[in-house]
């Protein structure tokens, strides 16, 4: 027979033995209580570590941006800045369809151009002032004349009785453009050093070079050939003499070519 429960000393009723369901519930309750206590300890851990070791370094999640490598300076941009900043000569904006094209100077705002054979242009150099700019490209010479002079050239040729002949002479005026020669080589009087990386090979600018370069700080208008009545001051070269000399030698070249064709 099972023994009867023994009453306690205080007169309390003896406890009944826990059932299996009750025992399982107690075990689950103890497990949850231990988990909560563990979580509280983990939350307090940074505070304890801060008191032991001082301030902790901040944690950042931002990525360090690595700068892109710089592109090398384009020599064409340096040539453009030299003309625009040093001389005040406007340039033609670069074309998006042809980014490799050479820098071009706008004709009309500061000067006009006589495009002639180099052989015909050389004798005309004696009629120019020492500061009159002259450019070369291959076998062609570009003589810079006063702005508006291109419009006067046809009338001057008619007055010289050269208007009826087909001469290898082109006057470029307002709205035109010419290839910009490389800035002159440093060392000449009045020519400052060029930016680093800027060479002097004519091929870099379509073989256009300065025979008589412009000088920064000097007004180019005073040295350009113009009509005597238009020049006013009388110190500018005479456009009529320049055109007459060029036209005469263009005609001589034309006669030589005609004779050479008859002999062949």
């Amino acid at each position: 027979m099972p023994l009867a429960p023994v009453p306690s000393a205080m007169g309390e009723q003896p406890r009944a033995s826990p059932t299996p369901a009750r025992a399982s519930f107690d075990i689950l309750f103890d497990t949850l209580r231990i988990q909560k206590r563990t979580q509280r300890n983990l939350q307090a851990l940074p505070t304890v570590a801060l008191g032991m070791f001082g301030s902790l370094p901040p944690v950042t999640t931002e990525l360090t941006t690595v700068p892109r490598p710089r592109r090398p300076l384009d020599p064409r941009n340096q040539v453009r800045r030299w003309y625009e900043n040093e001389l005040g000569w406007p340039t033609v904006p670069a074309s998006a369809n042809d980014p490799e094209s050479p820098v071009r100077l706008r004709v009309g705002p500061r000067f006009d151009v006589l495009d002639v054979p180099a052989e015909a242009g050389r004798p005309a150099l004696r009629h120019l002032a020492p500061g009159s700019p002259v450019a070369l490209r291959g076998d062609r010479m570009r003589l810079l004349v006063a702005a508006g002079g291109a419009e006067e050239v046809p009338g001057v040729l008619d007055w010289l009785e050269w208007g009826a002949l087909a001469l290898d002479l082109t006057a470029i005026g307002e709205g035109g453009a010419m290839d910009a020669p490389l800035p002159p080589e440093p060392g000449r009087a009045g020519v400052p050093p060029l930016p680093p990386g800027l060479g002097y090979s004519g091929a870099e600018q379509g073989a256009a070079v300065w025979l008589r370069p412009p000088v920064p700080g000097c007004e180019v208008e005073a040295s350009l050939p113009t009509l005597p009545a238009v020049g006013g001051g009388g110190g500018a070269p005479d456009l009529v003499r320049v055109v007459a000399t060029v036209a005469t030698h263009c005609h001589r070249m034309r006669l030589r070519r005609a004779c050479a064709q008859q002999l062949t």
Side-chain angles (χ1 to χ4, degrees):
M1 293 180 61
L3 298 177
V6 179
S8 62
M10 300 298 298
E12 296 180 354
Q13 295 295 328
R15 295 182 182 179
S17 300
T19 62
R22 178 68 181 180
S24 300
F25 177 79
D26 293 341
I27 294 174
L28 178 60
F29 179 78
D30 293 340
T31 302
L32 294 176
R33 184 173 54 186
I34 294 174
Q35 289 179 351
K36 282 188 175 182
R37 187 176 300 172
T38 304
Q39 290 178 356
R40 286 197 299 269
N41 294 338
L42 291 177
Q43 293 175 357
L45 182 60
T47 305
V48 175
L50 183 61
M52 295 175 61
F53 302 102
S55 61
L56 298 177
V59 179
T60 178
T61 58
E62 297 181 358
L63 298 178
T64 303
T65 303
V66 179
R68 296 181 178 180
R70 294 183 178 180
R71 295 181 178 179
L73 296 178
D74 190 345
R76 289 184 297 273
N77 293 336
Q78 296 179 344
V79 171
R80 188 183 305 277
R81 285 195 297 268
W82 190 85
Y83 279 104
E84 293 180 350
N85 299 338
E86 299 293 335
L87 298 179
W89 292 7
T91 61
V92 178
S95 174
N97 298 328
D98 189 10
E100 300 298 329
S101 60
V103 177
R104 294 175 64 79
L105 303 175
R106 289 178 55 192
V107 176
R110 300 291 302 272
F111 55 85
D112 287 358
V113 175
L114 288 181
D115 187 336
V116 301
E119 180 180 345
R122 287 191 186 95
L125 296 179
R126 67 178 184 270
H127 300 303
L128 302 179
S132 301
V134 178
L136 287 173
R137 184 185 180 189
D139 61 351
R140 307 292 297 183
M141 181 177 291
R142 276 77 183 269
L143 305 173
L144 271 61
V145 300
E151 298 179 357
E152 306 292 342
V153 170
V156 172
L157 290 173
D158 290 339
W159 184 74
L160 295 171
E161 299 183 354
W162 291 111
L165 299 177
L167 301 176
D168 188 8
L169 185 156
T170 303
I172 306 173
E174 182 70 32
M178 64 172 283
D179 288 350
L182 280 175
E185 185 174 358
R188 298 185 182 184
V191 178
L194 297 180
L198 194 59
Y200 295 96
S201 173
E204 295 183 25
Q205 281 291 302
V209 296
W210 282 114
L211 179 62
R212 293 185 177 182
V215 179
C218 298
E219 293 294 333
V220 69
E221 288 80 1
S223 64
L224 300 180
T226 185
L227 293 180
V230 178
D238 188 351
L239 179 62
V240 175
R241 292 188 177 185
V242 174
V243 173
T245 302
V246 170
T248 299
H249 286 82
C250 284
H251 181 57
R252 291 177 180 175
M253 294 174 61
R254 180 171 175 268
L255 292 177
R256 284 205 307 268
R257 287 194 298 266
C259 293
Q261 291 176 357
Q262 291 178 359
L263 295 177
T264 55

